[in-house]
Amino acid sequence: MDQIDTTTLTIALGVLILMSAYFSSSETGLMTINRYRLKHLANEGKAGAIRSQKLLERPDRLIGLILIGNNLVNIAATVVATALFDRLFGPIYGPIVTMIGLTLIILVFAEVTPKTFAALYPEKIAFPSSFFLLPLSYLLTPLVKFVNAITNGVLMLLRINTTGGSGDSLSREELRTVVHEAGAMIPQKHQDMLVSILDLEKVTAEDIMVPRSEIFALDINDDWKLLQKKLTHSQHTRVLLYRDSIDDAVGFVHVRDALRLLSKDQFTKASMLRAVREIYYTPDSTPLHTLMYKFQAERERIGLVVDEYGDIQGLVTLEDILEEIIGDFTTSMLPDYHKEAMLQQDGSFLVDGSTNIRELNKELDWKFPIDGPKTLNGLIIEYLEEIPENNISLRLAGYPVEIVDISGNMIKTVRVQPEYYRDPNQTREEAERQ
């Protein structure tokens, strides 16, 4: 070192600091880059992405390569800085200046600054640096393998599995987080659709079915003229036919078939029964994603939901499943309140007791529990453990609820005050502070 002039030592130290910054930023850039975007860019043929993907196929070797290069450069920088500062500050103060000064220089210019930039813009660092790291990895393969073998041996002694790892697969909850964090890259409505698709496995046919009491069906034993009038004025394209009781279901008749027979003056009860289509039954516990696949395989669009005893509980259609994904089909420009929840002037809602709780929560952003009864009537009765009387008020799942109307053994109308919602787990003092 004594034969090398000060200018050369200074230039060498600067070059070594830049090389250290290169290795530090490369490590951060390659390790923080979005792996899925990287695969996308590699599939599009971007050279930098292809090189980076090859390096990341063996992250242990990549880290070993970068650390070998980084440590060699930092040690060399220490040797050069010691010789330089000894010459500038003498043998007494030179080591002290080397220790303090080089630490600050490396920390600021070779670690924090380049790593921060690489974390913010990983592609701008990873792709160019891969141009040098890839051939360097081939050149130093024996040394990297030797270092990795020693490292893996130490990890094995510590009983740490070096072959494990979760890989790049994402769980359903992780996918949900990715969708929500997409921000403006994915429109909000598309985010809601993607999340709804992920939730199909949690929703069953019972959750979305039209209840048995609300199914539009025709008794084929009724007067023929009355039956004909109901069928031709039906708002549904497929109508369920039954004998005396809905439990004795005959099948579905398509209004199109009925109109075709009517146009040919062949519309009789016998011809209508011949046009009946076979009923598709599904258990009430069938997840929606399974039901959708079954509808596709069987080329069905409608089915009856049965319980564990085989009794008919409701009706489900392909449109119901699609509405779970994309929302209700509507052309109204009014606020998207549930049709059975009427907003009052005081901010409360008058809600039909038979309203599905999931629909209320989804459309009005409420938080009623959905792991028990499916309707608001059922939820209140389960809570009270009896059929209540009119004008009874209670706090249900954090919401003040007033029973307005009861008909027979069913709660017909309730008033809900959503603006006074309080988390049931909160204390009264916490709620008042809010």
Side-chain angles (χ1 to χ4, degrees):
M1 290 290 180
D2 293 337
Q3 291 79 22
I4 303 176
D5 60 83
T6 302
T7 303
T8 304
L9 288 175
T10 303
I11 295 173
L13 181 60
V15 171
L16 291 170
I17 295 298
L18 290 175
M19 292 177 65
S20 179
Y22 162 76
F23 283 114
S24 297
S25 61
S26 297
E27 178 186 6
T28 302
L30 285 164
M31 291 303 163
T32 58
I33 194 170
N34 188 312
R35 302 297 176 90
Y36 301 97
R37 175 170 170 77
L38 181 63
K39 288 181 180 180
H40 169 70
L41 294 175
N43 291 335
E44 288 189 342
K46 189 172 180 62
I50 295 173
R51 291 193 302 267
S52 299
Q53 194 173 41
K54 286 182 179 179
L55 288 168
L56 289 168
E57 288 176 356
R58 292 296 304 269
D60 55 335
R61 293 186 180 179
L62 174 61
I63 292 174
L65 171 66
I66 292 175
L67 292 180
I68 288 172
N70 206 6
N71 281 282
L72 286 174
V73 168
N74 287 342
I75 292 171
T78 303
V79 173
V80 173
T82 301
L84 177 62
F85 293 145
D86 278 353
R87 185 177 301 177
L88 294 176
F89 301 100
I92 297 177
Y93 298 106
I96 298 176
V97 175
T98 300
M99 181 178 64
I100 298 175
L102 189 61
T103 299
L104 289 174
I105 292 173
I106 291 179
L107 187 64
V108 174
F109 297 103
E111 291 291 336
V112 177
T113 302
K115 285 188 174 182
T116 301
F117 181 81
L120 294 173
Y121 307 100
E123 291 180 16
K124 293 182 178 181
I125 296 296
F127 293 168
S129 65
S130 64
F131 182 81
F132 301 99
L133 285 177
L134 191 59
L136 190 61
S137 66
Y138 295 131
L139 183 64
L140 298 180
T141 295
L143 180 59
V144 173
K145 286 185 176 180
F146 175 72
V147 172
N148 284 344
I150 297 175
T151 304
N152 292 337
V154 173
L155 292 175
M156 289 177 64
L157 290 175
L158 297 175
R159 298 177 181 269
I160 297 176
N161 183 12
T162 59
T163 60
S166 58
D168 292 334
S169 301
L170 293 178
S171 67
R172 183 175 288 101
E173 295 304 319
E174 290 170 336
L175 278 173
R176 185 194 305 273
T177 302
V178 169
V179 171
H180 285 311
E181 290 186 349
M185 297 179 65
I186 302 178
Q188 182 61 46
K189 189 164 185 64
H190 293 177
Q191 291 184 30
D192 295 338
M193 290 171 59
L194 291 172
V195 171
S196 297
I197 292 173
L198 295 175
D199 286 341
L200 285 183
E201 188 174 293
K202 299 179 182 179
V203 185
T204 64
E206 184 183 17
D207 293 323
I208 68 166
M209 69 181 184
V210 177
R212 173 192 175 106
S213 59
E214 298 180 12
I215 296 177
F216 178 80
L218 301 178
D219 185 354
I220 61 173
N221 291 331
D222 282 346
D223 179 74
W224 171 241
K225 290 185 178 179
L226 177 62
L227 191 65
Q228 184 178 0
K229 181 180 179 180
K230 288 181 178 179
L231 185 61
T232 53
H233 288 80
S234 170
Q235 296 180 352
H236 305 278
T237 57
R238 293 172 178 81
V239 178
L240 178 66
L241 302 181
Y242 65 91
R243 292 187 181 91
D244 298 328
S245 170
I246 198 171
D247 289 314
D248 188 12
V250 176
F252 289 98
V253 62
H254 202 296
V255 174
R256 179 183 58 196
D257 296 333
L259 293 176
R260 177 174 52 82
L261 292 171
L262 185 62
S263 65
K264 298 179 180 179
D265 293 330
Q266 299 175 352
F267 191 38
T268 63
K269 186 174 293 189
S271 64
M272 184 178 67
L273 289 175
R274 287 195 297 269
V276 164
R277 306 186 183 189
E278 187 177 354
I279 300 175
Y280 178 82
Y281 293 96
T282 184
D284 54 9
S285 59
T286 305
L288 289 196
H289 73 290
T290 302
L291 181 59
M292 184 169 59
Y293 294 145
K294 288 184 177 180
F295 273 171
Q296 183 181 33
E298 301 292 335
R299 297 182 181 277
E300 295 284 351
R301 299 177 63 92
I302 191 170
L304 292 180
V305 181
V306 296
D307 62 11
E308 58 183 316
Y309 302 105
D311 296 331
I312 295 174
Q313 300 299 308
L315 179 146
V316 65
T317 67
L318 181 60
E319 287 77 8
D320 295 328
I321 301 177
L322 292 178
E323 285 188 353
E324 276 297 307
I325 299 175
I326 65 175
D328 291 339
F329 296 102
T330 177
T331 57
S332 174
M333 299 303 293
L334 298 175
D336 191 21
Y337 295 137
H338 195 277
K339 62 181 180 180
E340 294 175 331
M342 295 180 291
L343 179 63
Q344 305 300 299
Q345 290 184 350
D346 61 354
S348 65
F349 284 84
L350 286 180
V351 186
D352 191 293
S354 63
T355 303
N356 186 281
I357 296 173
R358 289 188 68 259
E359 292 296 325
L360 280 177
N361 288 349
K362 188 174 181 180
E363 296 185 20
L364 297 175
D365 196 26
W366 291 355
K367 298 178 177 63
F368 284 115
I370 59 175
D371 53 353
K374 305 302 179 183
T375 65
L376 196 55
N377 167 69
L379 187 64
I380 295 173
I381 292 177
E382 181 187 63
Y383 179 80
L384 295 176
E385 298 182 347
E386 64 177 357
I387 298 176
E389 298 179 356
N390 289 335
N391 301 321
I392 291 180
S393 297
L394 64 150
R395 183 177 290 277
L396 185 63
Y399 295 95
V401 175
E402 177 189 355
I403 299 172
V404 176
D405 183 29
I406 294 179
S407 177
N409 59 355
M410 181 177 177
I411 300 171
K412 298 295 293 183
T413 309
V414 299
R415 183 188 302 275
V416 182
Q417 294 280 358
E419 66 269 28
Y420 296 125
Y421 169 75
R422 175 168 61 88
D423 190 330
N425 296 321
Q426 281 184 324
T427 63
R428 182 178 299 274
E429 290 75 13
E430 290 174 336
E432 289 175 351
R433 282 198 300 269
Q434 289 184 347

